[in-house]
Amino acid sequence: AQSVTQLGSHVSVSEGALVLLRCNYSSSVPPYLFWYVQYPNQGLQLLLKYTTGATLVKGINGFEAEFKKSETSFHLTKPSAHMSDAAEYFCAARPGSARQLTFGSGTQLTVLP
Amino acid sequence: GAGVSQSPSNKVTEKGKDVELRCDPISGHTALYWYRQSLGQGLEFLIYFQGNSAPDKSGLPSDRFSAERTGGSVSTLTIQRTQQEDSAVYLCASSSPGQGGTEAFFGQGTRLTVV
C-alpha cells in the first residue's frame, strides 16, 4: 500500500531563510505526487504537482519541489520564507491509476520575524 | 460553481444524533472524495466516488458512516448515532476525469463538533 512520510511535524524558520519540508513516499512504482497548503480554517490548496517529465517542479508562491526517484523523495523548498507562508503543508501521493490520494501527516511551518 | 462547496461550514450536534454533511463538487468533475481531518491525525480517507462505478468505501471507520452521490454530482456524508470521537473537520474534494496526475480540489470543510 502507498504511504507518505513527512519528516518533522513542526518546522520553524526565520523570515528570509530557506524553507525545506521533507516528504518520502513508499512505492516501487513512482506515483503522482502533490504538495498542498492549508491555512487556518481553510481547505487545502494545491501548491504543485509532479506527474511525469521534469523532476524539478515549480509551484505557486515561489515554492518548488524536486522528485528524486533514487531517494523516493519529493521535498518542498522555498529560497526565502515570508511571514505569509506560515501554514500547514501536506504531501500526497496517488498511484498511476486514478484513485484516492494518500496524505502525509502534515508539517506545520512557523515563520519567525 | 467555481469551487467545491460544502455545507454546513460548522455543525454542533448532540451525541447520538444523526448528521448529514453536503458536498457540491466542481461541475464536470467525475471523481469525488471525502476525507476526515482530526486534531493530530492528519487527513484520513473515507470514501471515493468515480463516475458510475461502485464507490470505494474502504476508509469508512464504521457502519455508522455512509455516503451517497446522487446524479453523479452532489454527495452527502451521513453519520448515524454520532460519538464524540467523530468530532473533526470533514473535507470533500473533486477532480476531473483523466489521468491520476490530475489534482483534487478541496472544499473548505465542515467542522463537526459532537457534544
Side-chain angles (χ1 to χ4, degrees), chain A residues 32 34 36 38 41-44 46 49 51 90 94 98-101 103, chain B residues 33 35 37 43 45 48 56 91 98 100-104 106-108 111:
Chain A
Y32 299 114
F34 307 81
Y36 284 86
Q38 185 178 35
N41 300 313
Q42 299 285 318
L44 277 71
L46 182 72
K49 66 178 181 180
T51 54
F90 292 92
R94 180 193 278 136
R99 296 180 60 82
Q100 59 167 297
L101 283 165
F103 284 88
Chain B
Y33 312 77
Y35 286 85
Q37 187 174 25
L43 282 147
F45 166 75
Y48 163 76
D56 178 354
L91 290 167
T102 54
E103 65 265 32
F106 283 80
Q108 296 207 353
R111 182 175 298 277

PDB file of all heavy atoms in Angstrom, chain A residues 32 34 36 38 41-44 46 49 51 90 94 98-101 103, chain B residues 33 35 37 43 45 48 56 91 98 100-104 106-108 111:
ATOM      1  N   TYR A  32       2.062   9.678  -8.724  1.00  0.00           N
ATOM      2  CA  TYR A  32       1.925  11.112  -8.898  1.00  0.00           C
ATOM      3  C   TYR A  32       2.031  11.742  -7.503  1.00  0.00           C
ATOM      4  O   TYR A  32       1.514  11.207  -6.530  1.00  0.00           O
ATOM      5  CB  TYR A  32       0.582  11.448  -9.538  1.00  0.00           C
ATOM      6  CG  TYR A  32       0.411  10.844 -10.912  1.00  0.00           C
ATOM      7  CD1 TYR A  32      -0.549   9.865 -11.160  1.00  0.00           C
ATOM      8  CD2 TYR A  32       1.217  11.267 -11.973  1.00  0.00           C
ATOM      9  CE1 TYR A  32      -0.697   9.312 -12.406  1.00  0.00           C
ATOM     10  CE2 TYR A  32       1.066  10.713 -13.229  1.00  0.00           C
ATOM     11  CZ  TYR A  32       0.108   9.740 -13.445  1.00  0.00           C
ATOM     12  OH  TYR A  32      -0.030   9.192 -14.685  1.00  0.00           O
ATOM     13  N   PHE A  34       2.057  15.325  -4.932  1.00  0.00           N
ATOM     14  CA  PHE A  34       1.440  16.637  -4.759  1.00  0.00           C
ATOM     15  C   PHE A  34       1.887  17.256  -3.433  1.00  0.00           C
ATOM     16  O   PHE A  34       2.147  16.547  -2.469  1.00  0.00           O
ATOM     17  CB  PHE A  34      -0.096  16.514  -4.715  1.00  0.00           C
ATOM     18  CG  PHE A  34      -0.704  15.771  -5.874  1.00  0.00           C
ATOM     19  CD1 PHE A  34      -0.728  14.393  -5.896  1.00  0.00           C
ATOM     20  CD2 PHE A  34      -1.272  16.472  -6.931  1.00  0.00           C
ATOM     21  CE1 PHE A  34      -1.295  13.700  -6.964  1.00  0.00           C
ATOM     22  CE2 PHE A  34      -1.841  15.782  -8.003  1.00  0.00           C
ATOM     23  CZ  PHE A  34      -1.850  14.402  -8.016  1.00  0.00           C
ATOM     24  N   TYR A  36       0.197  20.200  -0.913  1.00  0.00           N
ATOM     25  CA  TYR A  36      -0.930  21.083  -0.618  1.00  0.00           C
ATOM     26  C   TYR A  36      -0.582  21.949   0.586  1.00  0.00           C
ATOM     27  O   TYR A  36       0.168  21.530   1.471  1.00  0.00           O
ATOM     28  CB  TYR A  36      -2.187  20.281  -0.288  1.00  0.00           C
ATOM     29  CG  TYR A  36      -2.889  19.657  -1.467  1.00  0.00           C
ATOM     30  CD1 TYR A  36      -2.516  18.412  -1.958  1.00  0.00           C
ATOM     31  CD2 TYR A  36      -3.962  20.317  -2.079  1.00  0.00           C
ATOM     32  CE1 TYR A  36      -3.179  17.836  -3.029  1.00  0.00           C
ATOM     33  CE2 TYR A  36      -4.634  19.750  -3.148  1.00  0.00           C
ATOM     34  CZ  TYR A  36      -4.244  18.511  -3.625  1.00  0.00           C
ATOM     35  OH  TYR A  36      -4.896  17.949  -4.684  1.00  0.00           O
ATOM     36  N   GLN A  38      -2.458  24.328   3.718  1.00  0.00           N
ATOM     37  CA  GLN A  38      -3.717  24.609   4.407  1.00  0.00           C
ATOM     38  C   GLN A  38      -3.507  25.746   5.391  1.00  0.00           C
ATOM     39  O   GLN A  38      -2.742  25.623   6.354  1.00  0.00           O
ATOM     40  CB  GLN A  38      -4.225  23.370   5.147  1.00  0.00           C
ATOM     41  CG  GLN A  38      -5.590  23.564   5.776  1.00  0.00           C
ATOM     42  CD  GLN A  38      -6.103  22.317   6.476  1.00  0.00           C
ATOM     43  OE1 GLN A  38      -5.332  21.560   7.059  1.00  0.00           O
ATOM     44  NE2 GLN A  38      -7.408  22.084   6.408  1.00  0.00           N
ATOM     45  N   ASN A  41      -8.387  27.326   9.215  1.00  0.00           N
ATOM     46  CA  ASN A  41      -9.822  27.318   8.908  1.00  0.00           C
ATOM     47  C   ASN A  41     -10.102  27.366   7.403  1.00  0.00           C
ATOM     48  O   ASN A  41     -11.149  27.877   6.981  1.00  0.00           O
ATOM     49  CB  ASN A  41     -10.533  28.471   9.616  1.00  0.00           C
ATOM     50  CG  ASN A  41     -10.381  28.385  11.116  1.00  0.00           C
ATOM     51  OD1 ASN A  41     -10.569  27.332  11.707  1.00  0.00           O
ATOM     52  ND2 ASN A  41      -9.994  29.484  11.738  1.00  0.00           N
ATOM     53  N   GLN A  42      -9.184  26.855   6.640  1.00  0.00           N
ATOM     54  CA  GLN A  42      -9.369  26.805   5.192  1.00  0.00           C
ATOM     55  C   GLN A  42      -9.252  25.365   4.700  1.00  0.00           C
ATOM     56  O   GLN A  42      -8.780  24.485   5.422  1.00  0.00           O
ATOM     57  CB  GLN A  42      -8.294  27.642   4.491  1.00  0.00           C
ATOM     58  CG  GLN A  42      -8.298  29.120   4.854  1.00  0.00           C
ATOM     59  CD  GLN A  42      -9.428  29.859   4.192  1.00  0.00           C
ATOM     60  OE1 GLN A  42      -9.727  29.653   3.025  1.00  0.00           O
ATOM     61  NE2 GLN A  42     -10.081  30.725   4.945  1.00  0.00           N
ATOM     62  N   GLY A  43      -9.688  25.157   3.451  1.00  0.00           N
ATOM     63  CA  GLY A  43      -9.450  23.871   2.821  1.00  0.00           C
ATOM     64  C   GLY A  43      -8.019  23.770   2.345  1.00  0.00           C
ATOM     65  O   GLY A  43      -7.176  24.624   2.650  1.00  0.00           O
ATOM     66  N   LEU A  44      -7.725  22.735   1.606  1.00  0.00           N
ATOM     67  CA  LEU A  44      -6.383  22.532   1.076  1.00  0.00           C
ATOM     68  C   LEU A  44      -6.254  23.163  -0.300  1.00  0.00           C
ATOM     69  O   LEU A  44      -7.149  23.035  -1.135  1.00  0.00           O
ATOM     70  CB  LEU A  44      -6.063  21.039   0.979  1.00  0.00           C
ATOM     71  CG  LEU A  44      -5.561  20.361   2.243  1.00  0.00           C
ATOM     72  CD1 LEU A  44      -6.680  20.218   3.258  1.00  0.00           C
ATOM     73  CD2 LEU A  44      -4.967  18.999   1.924  1.00  0.00           C
ATOM     74  N   LEU A  46      -3.707  23.461  -3.696  1.00  0.00           N
ATOM     75  CA  LEU A  46      -2.579  22.835  -4.359  1.00  0.00           C
ATOM     76  C   LEU A  46      -1.435  23.828  -4.541  1.00  0.00           C
ATOM     77  O   LEU A  46      -1.635  24.929  -5.054  1.00  0.00           O
ATOM     78  CB  LEU A  46      -2.998  22.291  -5.715  1.00  0.00           C
ATOM     79  CG  LEU A  46      -1.909  21.552  -6.496  1.00  0.00           C
ATOM     80  CD1 LEU A  46      -1.627  20.194  -5.848  1.00  0.00           C
ATOM     81  CD2 LEU A  46      -2.311  21.384  -7.949  1.00  0.00           C
ATOM     82  N   LYS A  49       2.573  19.956  -8.318  1.00  0.00           N
ATOM     83  CA  LYS A  49       2.416  18.523  -8.508  1.00  0.00           C
ATOM     84  C   LYS A  49       3.483  18.016  -9.470  1.00  0.00           C
ATOM     85  O   LYS A  49       3.975  18.753 -10.332  1.00  0.00           O
ATOM     86  CB  LYS A  49       1.030  18.178  -9.048  1.00  0.00           C
ATOM     87  CG  LYS A  49       0.766  18.694 -10.448  1.00  0.00           C
ATOM     88  CD  LYS A  49      -0.616  18.278 -10.932  1.00  0.00           C
ATOM     89  CE  LYS A  49      -0.875  18.757 -12.344  1.00  0.00           C
ATOM     90  NZ  LYS A  49      -2.229  18.362 -12.836  1.00  0.00           N
ATOM     91  N   THR A  51       3.950  14.877 -12.169  1.00  0.00           N
ATOM     92  CA  THR A  51       3.311  13.753 -12.865  1.00  0.00           C
ATOM     93  C   THR A  51       4.383  13.008 -13.652  1.00  0.00           C
ATOM     94  O   THR A  51       4.791  11.908 -13.277  1.00  0.00           O
ATOM     95  CB  THR A  51       2.183  14.237 -13.785  1.00  0.00           C
ATOM     96  OG1 THR A  51       2.673  15.246 -14.671  1.00  0.00           O
ATOM     97  CG2 THR A  51       1.045  14.840 -12.950  1.00  0.00           C
ATOM     98  N   PHE A  90       0.955  19.668   3.389  1.00  0.00           N
ATOM     99  CA  PHE A  90       0.718  18.243   3.249  1.00  0.00           C
ATOM    100  C   PHE A  90       1.293  17.737   1.928  1.00  0.00           C
ATOM    101  O   PHE A  90       1.032  18.309   0.865  1.00  0.00           O
ATOM    102  CB  PHE A  90      -0.784  17.928   3.271  1.00  0.00           C
ATOM    103  CG  PHE A  90      -1.446  18.160   4.592  1.00  0.00           C
ATOM    104  CD1 PHE A  90      -2.031  19.386   4.875  1.00  0.00           C
ATOM    105  CD2 PHE A  90      -1.478  17.160   5.547  1.00  0.00           C
ATOM    106  CE1 PHE A  90      -2.646  19.606   6.100  1.00  0.00           C
ATOM    107  CE2 PHE A  90      -2.093  17.372   6.773  1.00  0.00           C
ATOM    108  CZ  PHE A  90      -2.674  18.603   7.050  1.00  0.00           C
ATOM    109  N   ARG A  94      -0.528   9.646  -5.257  1.00  0.00           N
ATOM    110  CA  ARG A  94      -1.574   8.830  -5.874  1.00  0.00           C
ATOM    111  C   ARG A  94      -0.914   7.892  -6.867  1.00  0.00           C
ATOM    112  O   ARG A  94      -0.100   8.308  -7.671  1.00  0.00           O
ATOM    113  CB  ARG A  94      -2.587   9.703  -6.594  1.00  0.00           C
ATOM    114  CG  ARG A  94      -3.713   8.895  -7.275  1.00  0.00           C
ATOM    115  CD  ARG A  94      -4.497   9.762  -8.216  1.00  0.00           C
ATOM    116  NE  ARG A  94      -5.500  10.557  -7.558  1.00  0.00           N
ATOM    117  CZ  ARG A  94      -5.719  11.849  -7.830  1.00  0.00           C
ATOM    118  NH1 ARG A  94      -4.994  12.459  -8.736  1.00  0.00           N
ATOM    119  NH2 ARG A  94      -6.660  12.499  -7.194  1.00  0.00           N
ATOM    120  N   ALA A  98      -6.195   6.309 -11.394  1.00  0.00           N
ATOM    121  CA  ALA A  98      -6.827   7.476 -10.770  1.00  0.00           C
ATOM    122  C   ALA A  98      -7.708   7.060  -9.601  1.00  0.00           C
ATOM    123  O   ALA A  98      -8.884   6.840  -9.762  1.00  0.00           O
ATOM    124  CB  ALA A  98      -7.643   8.230 -11.804  1.00  0.00           C
ATOM    125  N   ARG A  99      -7.098   6.964  -8.430  1.00  0.00           N
ATOM    126  CA  ARG A  99      -7.854   6.606  -7.237  1.00  0.00           C
ATOM    127  C   ARG A  99      -7.541   7.610  -6.134  1.00  0.00           C
ATOM    128  O   ARG A  99      -7.185   8.714  -6.366  1.00  0.00           O
ATOM    129  CB  ARG A  99      -7.514   5.184  -6.824  1.00  0.00           C
ATOM    130  CG  ARG A  99      -7.933   4.133  -7.853  1.00  0.00           C
ATOM    131  CD  ARG A  99      -7.567   2.730  -7.412  1.00  0.00           C
ATOM    132  NE  ARG A  99      -8.186   2.360  -6.163  1.00  0.00           N
ATOM    133  CZ  ARG A  99      -9.428   1.907  -6.053  1.00  0.00           C
ATOM    134  NH1 ARG A  99     -10.193   1.818  -7.109  1.00  0.00           N
ATOM    135  NH2 ARG A  99      -9.914   1.560  -4.879  1.00  0.00           N
ATOM    136  N   GLN A 100      -7.668   7.223  -4.941  1.00  0.00           N
ATOM    137  CA  GLN A 100      -7.557   8.150  -3.820  1.00  0.00           C
ATOM    138  C   GLN A 100      -6.143   8.675  -3.647  1.00  0.00           C
ATOM    139  O   GLN A 100      -5.173   8.056  -4.027  1.00  0.00           O
ATOM    140  CB  GLN A 100      -7.982   7.457  -2.537  1.00  0.00           C
ATOM    141  CG  GLN A 100      -7.129   6.224  -2.233  1.00  0.00           C
ATOM    142  CD  GLN A 100      -7.318   5.711  -0.844  1.00  0.00           C
ATOM    143  OE1 GLN A 100      -7.016   6.415   0.098  1.00  0.00           O
ATOM    144  NE2 GLN A 100      -7.813   4.490  -0.703  1.00  0.00           N
ATOM    145  N   LEU A 101      -6.074   9.840  -3.034  1.00  0.00           N
ATOM    146  CA  LEU A 101      -4.810  10.416  -2.600  1.00  0.00           C
ATOM    147  C   LEU A 101      -4.468   9.882  -1.205  1.00  0.00           C
ATOM    148  O   LEU A 101      -5.339   9.775  -0.347  1.00  0.00           O
ATOM    149  CB  LEU A 101      -4.917  11.933  -2.490  1.00  0.00           C
ATOM    150  CG  LEU A 101      -4.868  12.749  -3.787  1.00  0.00           C
ATOM    151  CD1 LEU A 101      -5.357  14.160  -3.521  1.00  0.00           C
ATOM    152  CD2 LEU A 101      -3.467  12.771  -4.334  1.00  0.00           C
ATOM    153  N   PHE A 103      -2.213  10.919   2.001  1.00  0.00           N
ATOM    154  CA  PHE A 103      -1.562  12.104   2.536  1.00  0.00           C
ATOM    155  C   PHE A 103      -0.545  11.745   3.613  1.00  0.00           C
ATOM    156  O   PHE A 103      -0.713  10.772   4.362  1.00  0.00           O
ATOM    157  CB  PHE A 103      -2.595  13.048   3.160  1.00  0.00           C
ATOM    158  CG  PHE A 103      -3.385  13.823   2.155  1.00  0.00           C
ATOM    159  CD1 PHE A 103      -4.549  13.296   1.616  1.00  0.00           C
ATOM    160  CD2 PHE A 103      -2.966  15.080   1.738  1.00  0.00           C
ATOM    161  CE1 PHE A 103      -5.287  14.018   0.680  1.00  0.00           C
ATOM    162  CE2 PHE A 103      -3.693  15.806   0.812  1.00  0.00           C
ATOM    163  CZ  PHE A 103      -4.846  15.262   0.282  1.00  0.00           C
TER     164      PHE A 103
ATOM    165  N   TYR B  33     -14.221  12.807  -3.391  1.00  0.00           N
ATOM    166  CA  TYR B  33     -13.600  12.175  -2.225  1.00  0.00           C
ATOM    167  C   TYR B  33     -14.137  12.822  -0.938  1.00  0.00           C
ATOM    168  O   TYR B  33     -14.390  14.025  -0.901  1.00  0.00           O
ATOM    169  CB  TYR B  33     -12.085  12.402  -2.222  1.00  0.00           C
ATOM    170  CG  TYR B  33     -11.363  12.139  -3.509  1.00  0.00           C
ATOM    171  CD1 TYR B  33     -11.413  13.042  -4.561  1.00  0.00           C
ATOM    172  CD2 TYR B  33     -10.575  11.005  -3.665  1.00  0.00           C
ATOM    173  CE1 TYR B  33     -10.726  12.818  -5.738  1.00  0.00           C
ATOM    174  CE2 TYR B  33      -9.871  10.775  -4.838  1.00  0.00           C
ATOM    175  CZ  TYR B  33      -9.958  11.684  -5.865  1.00  0.00           C
ATOM    176  OH  TYR B  33      -9.272  11.458  -7.022  1.00  0.00           O
ATOM    177  N   TYR B  35     -12.701  13.126   3.040  1.00  0.00           N
ATOM    178  CA  TYR B  35     -11.616  12.919   3.986  1.00  0.00           C
ATOM    179  C   TYR B  35     -12.036  13.457   5.344  1.00  0.00           C
ATOM    180  O   TYR B  35     -12.865  14.365   5.437  1.00  0.00           O
ATOM    181  CB  TYR B  35     -10.340  13.654   3.548  1.00  0.00           C
ATOM    182  CG  TYR B  35      -9.614  13.018   2.395  1.00  0.00           C
ATOM    183  CD1 TYR B  35      -9.981  13.299   1.080  1.00  0.00           C
ATOM    184  CD2 TYR B  35      -8.552  12.141   2.602  1.00  0.00           C
ATOM    185  CE1 TYR B  35      -9.315  12.714   0.015  1.00  0.00           C
ATOM    186  CE2 TYR B  35      -7.872  11.555   1.542  1.00  0.00           C
ATOM    187  CZ  TYR B  35      -8.267  11.849   0.257  1.00  0.00           C
ATOM    188  OH  TYR B  35      -7.599  11.273  -0.798  1.00  0.00           O
ATOM    189  N   GLN B  37     -10.347  15.074   8.875  1.00  0.00           N
ATOM    190  CA  GLN B  37      -9.142  15.659   9.461  1.00  0.00           C
ATOM    191  C   GLN B  37      -9.385  15.873  10.943  1.00  0.00           C
ATOM    192  O   GLN B  37     -10.140  16.762  11.338  1.00  0.00           O
ATOM    193  CB  GLN B  37      -8.789  16.985   8.771  1.00  0.00           C
ATOM    194  CG  GLN B  37      -7.463  17.557   9.199  1.00  0.00           C
ATOM    195  CD  GLN B  37      -7.084  18.793   8.403  1.00  0.00           C
ATOM    196  OE1 GLN B  37      -7.937  19.494   7.864  1.00  0.00           O
ATOM    197  NE2 GLN B  37      -5.795  19.073   8.305  1.00  0.00           N
ATOM    198  N   LEU B  43      -4.891  13.667   7.554  1.00  0.00           N
ATOM    199  CA  LEU B  43      -6.033  13.514   6.652  1.00  0.00           C
ATOM    200  C   LEU B  43      -6.306  12.033   6.425  1.00  0.00           C
ATOM    201  O   LEU B  43      -5.484  11.312   5.895  1.00  0.00           O
ATOM    202  CB  LEU B  43      -5.745  14.205   5.323  1.00  0.00           C
ATOM    203  CG  LEU B  43      -5.914  15.704   5.367  1.00  0.00           C
ATOM    204  CD1 LEU B  43      -4.938  16.385   4.446  1.00  0.00           C
ATOM    205  CD2 LEU B  43      -7.344  16.075   4.982  1.00  0.00           C
ATOM    206  N   PHE B  45      -8.584   9.185   4.656  1.00  0.00           N
ATOM    207  CA  PHE B  45      -9.501   8.905   3.550  1.00  0.00           C
ATOM    208  C   PHE B  45     -10.742   8.177   4.065  1.00  0.00           C
ATOM    209  O   PHE B  45     -10.639   7.251   4.876  1.00  0.00           O
ATOM    210  CB  PHE B  45      -8.782   8.050   2.507  1.00  0.00           C
ATOM    211  CG  PHE B  45      -9.686   7.411   1.501  1.00  0.00           C
ATOM    212  CD1 PHE B  45     -10.244   8.167   0.479  1.00  0.00           C
ATOM    213  CD2 PHE B  45      -9.995   6.059   1.565  1.00  0.00           C
ATOM    214  CE1 PHE B  45     -11.077   7.587  -0.466  1.00  0.00           C
ATOM    215  CE2 PHE B  45     -10.819   5.469   0.634  1.00  0.00           C
ATOM    216  CZ  PHE B  45     -11.369   6.231  -0.390  1.00  0.00           C
ATOM    217  N   TYR B  48     -14.563   7.256  -1.802  1.00  0.00           N
ATOM    218  CA  TYR B  48     -14.225   7.785  -3.123  1.00  0.00           C
ATOM    219  C   TYR B  48     -15.286   7.341  -4.115  1.00  0.00           C
ATOM    220  O   TYR B  48     -15.630   6.167  -4.182  1.00  0.00           O
ATOM    221  CB  TYR B  48     -12.848   7.267  -3.511  1.00  0.00           C
ATOM    222  CG  TYR B  48     -12.462   7.359  -4.963  1.00  0.00           C
ATOM    223  CD1 TYR B  48     -12.097   8.580  -5.516  1.00  0.00           C
ATOM    224  CD2 TYR B  48     -12.413   6.222  -5.769  1.00  0.00           C
ATOM    225  CE1 TYR B  48     -11.703   8.660  -6.843  1.00  0.00           C
ATOM    226  CE2 TYR B  48     -12.021   6.309  -7.092  1.00  0.00           C
ATOM    227  CZ  TYR B  48     -11.661   7.530  -7.621  1.00  0.00           C
ATOM    228  OH  TYR B  48     -11.276   7.615  -8.927  1.00  0.00           O
ATOM    229  N   ASP B  56     -15.529   3.375  -3.585  1.00  0.00           N
ATOM    230  CA  ASP B  56     -14.519   2.759  -2.732  1.00  0.00           C
ATOM    231  C   ASP B  56     -14.798   3.215  -1.302  1.00  0.00           C
ATOM    232  O   ASP B  56     -14.507   4.353  -0.944  1.00  0.00           O
ATOM    233  CB  ASP B  56     -13.129   3.203  -3.189  1.00  0.00           C
ATOM    234  CG  ASP B  56     -12.013   2.643  -2.302  1.00  0.00           C
ATOM    235  OD1 ASP B  56     -12.301   2.015  -1.271  1.00  0.00           O
ATOM    236  OD2 ASP B  56     -10.832   2.862  -2.643  1.00  0.00           O
ATOM    237  N   LEU B  91     -13.627  16.995   5.028  1.00  0.00           N
ATOM    238  CA  LEU B  91     -13.250  17.670   3.792  1.00  0.00           C
ATOM    239  C   LEU B  91     -13.728  16.870   2.591  1.00  0.00           C
ATOM    240  O   LEU B  91     -13.586  15.645   2.549  1.00  0.00           O
ATOM    241  CB  LEU B  91     -11.738  17.839   3.713  1.00  0.00           C
ATOM    242  CG  LEU B  91     -11.122  18.834   4.695  1.00  0.00           C
ATOM    243  CD1 LEU B  91      -9.611  18.665   4.730  1.00  0.00           C
ATOM    244  CD2 LEU B  91     -11.467  20.256   4.325  1.00  0.00           C
ATOM    245  N   GLY B  98      -9.658  11.928 -16.182  1.00  0.00           N
ATOM    246  CA  GLY B  98      -8.330  11.990 -16.780  1.00  0.00           C
ATOM    247  C   GLY B  98      -7.366  11.116 -16.037  1.00  0.00           C
ATOM    248  O   GLY B  98      -7.744  10.217 -15.299  1.00  0.00           O
ATOM    249  N   GLY B 100      -4.251   9.945 -13.446  1.00  0.00           N
ATOM    250  CA  GLY B 100      -4.125  10.069 -11.997  1.00  0.00           C
ATOM    251  C   GLY B 100      -3.376  11.299 -11.557  1.00  0.00           C
ATOM    252  O   GLY B 100      -3.364  11.649 -10.392  1.00  0.00           O
ATOM    253  N   GLY B 101      -2.755  11.978 -12.520  1.00  0.00           N
ATOM    254  CA  GLY B 101      -1.999  13.165 -12.153  1.00  0.00           C
ATOM    255  C   GLY B 101      -2.840  14.405 -11.977  1.00  0.00           C
ATOM    256  O   GLY B 101      -2.328  15.450 -11.590  1.00  0.00           O
ATOM    257  N   THR B 102      -4.128  14.295 -12.259  1.00  0.00           N
ATOM    258  CA  THR B 102      -4.975  15.463 -12.053  1.00  0.00           C
ATOM    259  C   THR B 102      -5.172  15.692 -10.563  1.00  0.00           C
ATOM    260  O   THR B 102      -5.391  14.760  -9.806  1.00  0.00           O
ATOM    261  CB  THR B 102      -6.345  15.276 -12.725  1.00  0.00           C
ATOM    262  OG1 THR B 102      -6.922  14.057 -12.263  1.00  0.00           O
ATOM    263  CG2 THR B 102      -6.202  15.238 -14.228  1.00  0.00           C
ATOM    264  N   GLU B 103      -5.119  16.976 -10.195  1.00  0.00           N
ATOM    265  CA  GLU B 103      -5.176  17.262  -8.768  1.00  0.00           C
ATOM    266  C   GLU B 103      -6.613  17.278  -8.272  1.00  0.00           C
ATOM    267  O   GLU B 103      -7.561  17.447  -9.030  1.00  0.00           O
ATOM    268  CB  GLU B 103      -4.522  18.619  -8.455  1.00  0.00           C
ATOM    269  CG  GLU B 103      -5.222  19.825  -9.048  1.00  0.00           C
ATOM    270  CD  GLU B 103      -4.608  20.223 -10.379  1.00  0.00           C
ATOM    271  OE1 GLU B 103      -4.123  19.329 -11.097  1.00  0.00           O
ATOM    272  OE2 GLU B 103      -4.624  21.427 -10.690  1.00  0.00           O
ATOM    273  N   ALA B 104      -6.746  17.083  -6.975  1.00  0.00           N
ATOM    274  CA  ALA B 104      -8.039  17.189  -6.320  1.00  0.00           C
ATOM    275  C   ALA B 104      -8.204  18.606  -5.786  1.00  0.00           C
ATOM    276  O   ALA B 104      -7.269  19.190  -5.254  1.00  0.00           O
ATOM    277  CB  ALA B 104      -8.139  16.179  -5.181  1.00  0.00           C
ATOM    278  N   PHE B 106     -10.202  20.946  -3.146  1.00  0.00           N
ATOM    279  CA  PHE B 106     -10.858  20.754  -1.858  1.00  0.00           C
ATOM    280  C   PHE B 106     -11.832  21.873  -1.527  1.00  0.00           C
ATOM    281  O   PHE B 106     -11.589  23.042  -1.856  1.00  0.00           O
ATOM    282  CB  PHE B 106      -9.813  20.666  -0.744  1.00  0.00           C
ATOM    283  CG  PHE B 106      -9.122  19.342  -0.680  1.00  0.00           C
ATOM    284  CD1 PHE B 106      -8.084  19.041  -1.544  1.00  0.00           C
ATOM    285  CD2 PHE B 106      -9.520  18.383   0.237  1.00  0.00           C
ATOM    286  CE1 PHE B 106      -7.458  17.808  -1.496  1.00  0.00           C
ATOM    287  CE2 PHE B 106      -8.893  17.144   0.292  1.00  0.00           C
ATOM    288  CZ  PHE B 106      -7.860  16.860  -0.572  1.00  0.00           C
ATOM    289  N   GLY B 107     -12.888  21.495  -0.836  1.00  0.00           N
ATOM    290  CA  GLY B 107     -13.760  22.474  -0.218  1.00  0.00           C
ATOM    291  C   GLY B 107     -13.163  22.942   1.094  1.00  0.00           C
ATOM    292  O   GLY B 107     -12.103  22.476   1.514  1.00  0.00           O
ATOM    293  N   GLN B 108     -13.853  23.865   1.739  1.00  0.00           N
ATOM    294  CA  GLN B 108     -13.331  24.433   2.979  1.00  0.00           C
ATOM    295  C   GLN B 108     -13.671  23.586   4.199  1.00  0.00           C
ATOM    296  O   GLN B 108     -13.210  23.877   5.297  1.00  0.00           O
ATOM    297  CB  GLN B 108     -13.849  25.866   3.150  1.00  0.00           C
ATOM    298  CG  GLN B 108     -13.332  26.785   2.058  1.00  0.00           C
ATOM    299  CD  GLN B 108     -13.250  28.219   2.503  1.00  0.00           C
ATOM    300  OE1 GLN B 108     -13.677  28.586   3.574  1.00  0.00           O
ATOM    301  NE2 GLN B 108     -12.676  29.049   1.651  1.00  0.00           N
ATOM    302  N   ARG B 111     -16.821  21.614   9.899  1.00  0.00           N
ATOM    303  CA  ARG B 111     -16.294  21.318  11.237  1.00  0.00           C
ATOM    304  C   ARG B 111     -17.420  20.746  12.068  1.00  0.00           C
ATOM    305  O   ARG B 111     -18.397  21.442  12.362  1.00  0.00           O
ATOM    306  CB  ARG B 111     -15.725  22.572  11.899  1.00  0.00           C
ATOM    307  CG  ARG B 111     -15.118  22.308  13.283  1.00  0.00           C
ATOM    308  CD  ARG B 111     -14.470  23.560  13.844  1.00  0.00           C
ATOM    309  NE  ARG B 111     -13.372  24.016  13.014  1.00  0.00           N
ATOM    310  CZ  ARG B 111     -12.144  23.542  13.075  1.00  0.00           C
ATOM    311  NH1 ARG B 111     -11.837  22.584  13.945  1.00  0.00           N
ATOM    312  NH2 ARG B 111     -11.204  24.017  12.282  1.00  0.00           N
TER     313      ARG B 111
END
